[in-house]
Amino acid sequence: MHGRRLDLVLAELFPDFSRSRLQKWLREERVKVDGLVRRAKDKVVGGEQIQLHAPVEREVEDQPEEIPLDIAYSDDSIVVLNKPAGMVVHPAAGNRQGTILNALLHHFPEIAAVPRAGIVHRLDKDTSGLLVVARTLEAQANLVAQLQKRTVTREYDAVVLGQVISGDTIEAPMGRHPTERKRMAVRVDGREAITHFRVVERFRAHTHLRVSLETGRTHQIRVHLAHIHFPIVGDPVYGGRVRIPARALPELVTMLRTFPRQALHASKLALIHPASGKHMQWRAPLPGDIRTLLECLREDTEAQDQDFE
């Protein structure tokens, strides 16, 4: 390691911690080289002794709340949750309480020592499904690296407006909407965003899709599907007005007009376990509201087919 920067050396010697955390400890003078405090850019000679003082600190100031969680899997390193629709993942303005993070702090108190309570990726408030959380700093660094390397597989079920002919890949960069800052949009100057999808079932005027993410931009699936003119049913931001198929059964009309959220569910999650190195995967069945929507669409399609026979 002769001649290399100290921060790069630390990243290699302590791979269980993220580079940003090691940089923070350097700034806080928690790293000593032969007993002396050094800067991140200082070079090492080789043969020095490095001491890292890394006490467990509370990283999250939010309060624990006794909120039930649907836990699909848990061990000393990770927790996999099946998030219900309508629940916010991380506290923010207007949603300081009742979040997944508040619930995690109650069920797993030690997670307060992990940044963002171990939450390494998110689901929108009204998207249901699987979410992985790190219980340790080591697991967090590992999962973040996996997300960057795209070794985490995330698969979703979506019900969209329109008849999709076949599966495809959407490659369209994304960024903040130029005038509406709470919205995302496809932009030439945006960050890379890649979404794959295939058809599960077609109805008269809707399609059930299986969607997988190669990147993980905010609102990516919702924005990409709306961009190719197949918006998700019930999406209040990107879905546009409610459109009812001609001669639709009354049950379907009611369902489409009252569906309370975007019909999007994170149904599969696969990753390499941070501690064991074993490939693991989980599936979450479709929640009741999306199952009922699909049943209404199926019955409507079958009724129309019978009318033509």
Side-chain angles (χ1 to χ4, degrees), residues 111-177:
I111 221 164
V114 184
R116 295 176 297 283
I119 296 169
V120 295
H121 69 113
R122 301 185 188 184
L123 295 175
D124 297 336
K125 176 183 177 181
D126 289 325
T127 297
S128 55
L130 295 168
L131 185 75
V132 64
V133 178
R135 293 185 67 175
T136 66
L137 288 173
E138 296 89 341
Q140 187 218 26
N142 181 284
L143 290 174
V144 168
Q146 286 196 55
L147 286 164
Q148 292 171 344
K149 294 176 182 177
R150 302 178 183 177
T151 59
V152 176
T153 300
R154 290 167 289 169
E155 199 169 85
Y156 297 73
D157 281 271
V159 183
V160 302
L161 179 67
Q163 275 203 330
V164 182
I165 302 303
S166 63
D168 203 350
T169 295
I170 306 168
E171 296 187 53
M174 288 177 52
R176 289 285 172 191
H177 192 282

Side-chain angles (χ1 to χ4, degrees), residues 32-80:
K32 291 186 178 181
V33 180
D34 285 342
L36 300 175
V37 172
R38 303 282 294 278
R39 297 170 301 175
K41 66 180 181 179
D42 289 342
K43 305 290 187 10
V44 301
V45 176
E48 300 99 321
Q49 183 184 66
I50 292 180
Q51 292 176 305
L52 171 62
H53 178 60
V56 175
E57 304 168 331
R58 186 175 178 86
E59 294 283 344
V60 179
E61 296 305 322
D62 298 278
Q63 296 304 306
E65 295 181 45
E66 191 173 353
I67 301 169
L69 290 173
D70 182 359
I71 299 173
Y73 176 82
S74 175
D75 62 25
D76 292 340
S77 297
I78 62 173
V79 181
V80 177

Side-chain angles (χ1 to χ4, degrees), residues 213-259:
L213 289 175
E214 192 166 323
T215 55
R217 308 301 172 215
T218 301
H219 298 176
Q220 179 174 319
I221 295 174
R222 298 164 64 188
V223 170
H224 269 180
L225 291 177
H227 177 66
I228 62 171
H229 309 296
F230 295 112
I232 296 176
V233 170
D235 191 331
V237 179
Y238 306 104
R241 62 181 179 82
V242 176
R243 281 166 278 186
I244 308 295
R247 305 179 307 281
L249 293 179
E251 295 82 1
L252 178 59
V253 173
T254 300
M255 176 62 69
L256 293 174
R257 285 178 174 166
T258 62
F259 201 77

